[in-house]
Amino acid sequence: MSRDQLHRLVLDNGLRVLLAPNPVGASIGVAVHYNVGFRTEPQGRTGLAHLFEHLVFQGGRDAAPEGYLPQVQRAGGFGDARTRQDVTVYYAAAPASALEMLLALEADRMRAPCISERNLRTQTAVIDQEISLMVRNRPYGTFPWVLPRALHRRAENARDGYGETADLASFDIALCERFFADHYGPGNAVLTLTGAFDRGTAERVVRRHFESLPARPTVRTPDLHEPAPEQERRLTVADLHAGSPAVAVGYRMPDPVTERPDYLAHLVLAALLRQGGHALLRPGPTAAAQVSSLSVGCGLFGLPLDTVGPDLLTLFAVHGHERGAEQVLEALDGALEALARDEVAAGTLRATTARWAAGAMRELGDPGTRAQLLGLRETLFGEAELTHALPELIRHGVTGEQVSRAAGRLRSAHRAVVEFVPGAAVPRGTAREVAA
């Protein structure tokens, strides 16, 4: 697909606007990123950013009583929201004729979301059900959340996105209103519009709906960087729902701003490990550790460049052997040593980076996804252009030497290792969590 032409403007109230018109197709994507996530929510208020996402998604006061989503769906579109470490995003895609309606709905909830006691209790119950389904009652449900807890020492970096049950139960309307005032002002947001629209028309519609929103001071985002771990950290999870033992491994990724070439090389390294290019890491009954399932990824959610704070390269392997965890670690160390010692073959590197780039380009075909990714990189790095540049940076900018250096860096790094043991029994003398 052709690249979007990016145009930026900043309204008097501080709202940053990114317009990316593209004549291909007949649909548009809208995304609003707020610069707050579960890593930057207030101390003692874990889960508030995610809960607030649920509350705000219902729509602003003018959208009541019908709410936000039915109006979008009636126009032939869809919408959703996500909370990540550093941002919360609300996004939608719809036919181009819905431009004004989508922007009016977003301005409405930026002005004043519809937060009531009933809505608060309903969404708290919805999140509790989500935790039960996705974490408590799911095999290996504490992955990947358990890896940051094992690897990081700052409480903010070790949080999961759901929060503590006691914190969730304590939230009230006053706290939610304060959170909105602190974090949901125009000056703490980026509005991104992609797809089939006229730039001049879109700018006028944006100004009509957003320029009247009052500017508000926002809470400064804290610096949450921390030193790399100085020793390997291990944890054992007793998983009542797991049918087979498993092991998860987490490494600190290079900094995406100050160490970007190394960061990109780690993306390629993860792809090499994930595609089973090394026999010891290839799933199958003949593998040394009897690995039946293997995944390798970069980022807590598998999306590159989606946080400015400490992030992880992760490996998760389900195995069926008494010493399976140690054998997976031995195989992983062997693969990393081989890659650090012997530069990856040029043909293998070309094929791996081409597949990575093709997957990234396919994602950009949808205007809703494109709005999310452009707005994400604009919010975090001030570089929306990274979204279109990333496939080429991977395909033509990462060398075999850089991948070897990345493998050597991981081989010598201190990592987190989490073993998942089926049932409630955990070997004596090990750290213990119970996934029940």
Side-chain angles (χ1 to χ4, degrees), residues 400-420:
E401 181 182 357
Q402 289 174 312
V403 174
S404 292
R405 189 163 61 245
R409 175 173 176 159
L410 290 196
R411 183 64 188 93
S412 63
H414 299 299
R415 61 193 174 191
V417 177
V418 180
E419 293 188 54
F420 292 81

Side-chain angles (χ1 to χ4, degrees), residues 73 190 273 379 414:
Q73 291 174 331
V190 172
L273 295 173
T379 303
H414 299 299

Side-chain angles (χ1 to χ4, degrees), residues 7-285:
H7 307 277
R8 293 174 171 87
L9 61 138
V10 181
L11 304 189
D12 290 344
N13 55 20
L15 178 66
R16 289 177 287 164
V17 181
L18 185 67
L19 301 177
N22 192 310
V24 178
S27 58
I28 56 170
V30 175
V32 179
H33 287 78
Y34 293 92
N35 196 29
V36 61
F38 60 79
R39 181 151 50 195
T40 52
E41 60 200 359
Q43 290 287 352
R45 298 288 187 261
T46 62
L48 180 55
H50 181 220
L51 172 63
F52 207 74
E53 170 219 309
H54 278 242
L55 294 172
V56 173
F57 184 73
Q58 307 309 306
R61 291 176 183 169
D62 289 347
E66 184 179 23
Y68 165 82
L69 191 57
Q71 297 183 58
V72 175
Q73 291 174 331
R74 194 166 56 247
F78 76 91
D80 209 342
R82 292 178 180 147
T83 304
R84 295 299 189 242
Q85 294 106 308
D86 303 320
V87 299
T88 303
V89 56
Y90 303 84
Y91 59 94
S97 58
L99 170 66
E100 179 130 19
M101 182 203 70
L102 290 182
L103 292 177
L105 288 171
E106 290 297 348
D108 182 32
R109 57 185 173 190
M110 186 180 290
R111 179 181 295 106
C114 188
I115 301 175
S116 65
E117 188 66 36
R118 179 182 179 182
N119 193 12
L120 176 59
R121 295 306 151 211
T122 298
Q123 295 307 317
T124 301
V126 168
I127 290 174
D128 187 64
Q129 293 174 355
E130 187 178 336
I131 296 171
S132 293
L133 179 65
M134 303 301 295
V135 180
R136 296 190 194 118
N137 298 312
R138 181 182 185 182
Y140 320 113
T142 56
F143 175 82
W145 309 111
V146 68
L147 280 175
R149 290 203 295 272
L151 191 64
H152 299 319
R153 284 297 173 260
R154 289 196 63 157
E156 299 93 334
N157 295 329
R159 290 174 182 160
D160 63 41
Y162 294 109
E164 300 295 332
T165 302
D167 285 347
L168 285 169
S170 71
F171 298 156
D172 57 23
I173 296 294
L175 176 64
C176 292
E177 290 176 343
R178 186 160 64 251
F179 188 80
F180 172 76
D182 287 343
H183 299 286
Y184 272 67
N188 205 39
V190 172
L191 166 64
T192 306
L193 180 61
T194 63
F197 62 87
D198 173 74
R199 175 190 168 190
T201 300
E203 182 173 340
R204 288 191 293 274
V205 176
V206 167
R207 290 188 181 278
R208 179 157 61 244
H209 291 287
F210 288 89
E211 207 159 38
S212 63
L213 301 182
R216 297 197 303 269
T218 57
V219 173
R220 183 181 178 184
T221 301
D223 181 0
L224 298 178
H225 287 84
E226 63 175 271
E230 298 179 350
Q231 61 184 11
E232 185 173 280
R233 296 167 180 168
R234 292 212 174 203
L235 192 65
T236 300
V237 174
D239 194 323
L240 300 179
H241 304 286
S244 300
V247 61
V249 186
Y251 298 92
R252 274 281 295 272
M253 286 281 287
D255 188 284
V257 175
T258 62
E259 302 174 289
R260 187 165 293 167
D262 291 330
Y263 182 98
L264 298 177
H266 279 67
L267 297 180
V268 177
L269 174 60
L272 285 166
L273 295 173
R274 181 171 59 248
Q275 70 192 28
H278 298 274
L280 288 174
L281 286 176
R282 190 176 297 137

